[in-house]
Amino acid sequence: NAGVTQTPKFQVLKTGQSMTLQCAQDMNHNSMYWYRQDPGMGLRLIYYSASEGTTDKGEVPNGYNVSRLNKREFSLRLESAAPSQTSVYFCASSGTSTQETQYFGPGTRLLVL
Amino acid sequence: GESVGLHLPTLSVQEGDNSIINCAYSNSASDYFIWYKQESGKGPQFIIDIRSNMDKRQGQRVTVLLNKTVKHLSLQIAATQPGDSAVYFCAASEGYSSASKIIFGSGTRLSIRP
């Protein structure tokens, strides 16, 4: 039981490049989330998926897209990376809603030059 | 907009002493609160939660206190150990709907003096 896994662990991009961050959970959770964490700031929600087949915008969705591929997997895509997207990205999952414990992955460190 | 903030960005305590980390929230409709611990290079880890129908909840060496009147919650760690060194986040959410979102504070870094 690996919990929440994320790939890659670290990535360097040039401005304008695209990439997809992958997330998978093996806890049979319905809800999944993508957050970004910047120095000195709390986690900010980018997108979330309440259940398979649904996605909704969070606090900072601009510049990102998501896909809930199936119940296990939730990917985050940067179509045209910008330096402002340099951050640490965390994926999380919870059983049904945000009022159940969220389990976080180890994070992806992204540097956009 | 809604916000969740911690009173101190850093806190240094002597090993063996009790630690108290404070947090304030702005949304009076928030009804679920969580404390997370984040060690360096890792994702946040759930510590303890509390719902608005309670004012105190205890776990193993940790206690969360909620004061809805002043919109304040605190995390108390008893007999602080070196392994407690981490950044601690509080978070608040409103409603049990799967469409609700959670607001995180900016974190307090707890360091332990030997």
Side-chain angles (χ1 to χ4, degrees), chain A residues 31-50:
Chain A
S31 300
M32 297 185 73
Y33 313 84
W34 275 106
Y35 293 91
R36 62 177 288 173
Q37 184 176 41
D38 300 302
M41 299 184 71
L43 294 158
R44 290 185 292 169
L45 184 66
I46 304 171
Y47 270 93
Y48 65 99
S49 171

Side-chain angles (χ1 to χ4, degrees), chain A residues 80-99:
Chain A
S80 178
S84 60
Q85 294 178 304
T86 293
S87 189
V88 181
Y89 291 85
F90 289 100
C91 177
S93 70
S94 66
T96 303
S97 78
T98 56
Q99 294 208 358

Side-chain angles (χ1 to χ4, degrees), chain A residues 68-84:
Chain A
R68 183 73 182 268
L69 304 170
N70 47 56
K71 191 171 186 178
R72 290 188 63 249
E73 298 172 288
F74 188 38
S75 62
L76 178 71
R77 182 160 178 83
L78 286 71
E79 290 290 353
S80 178
S84 60

Side-chain angles (χ1 to χ4, degrees), chain A residues 31 33 35 37 40-45 48 50 58-59 90 96-107 109, chain B residues 31-32 34 36 38 41-46 49 51 89 93-106:
Chain A
S31 300
Y33 313 84
Y35 293 91
Q37 184 176 41
M41 299 184 71
L43 294 158
R44 290 185 292 169
L45 184 66
Y48 65 99
E59 182 184 356
F90 289 100
T96 303
S97 78
T98 56
Q99 294 208 358
E100 294 184 29
T101 301
Q102 290 192 25
Y103 295 87
F104 285 81
R109 280 164 172 70
Chain B
D31 58 2
Y32 178 63
I34 316 100
Y36 286 92
Q38 186 176 24
K42 297 184 179 180
Q45 178 184 6
F46 172 86
D49 60 359
R51 300 192 186 279
F89 295 93
S93 77
E94 173 193 348
Y96 196 78
S97 163
S98 60
S100 63
K101 63 180 186 291
I102 205 162
I103 305 295
F104 286 82
S106 55

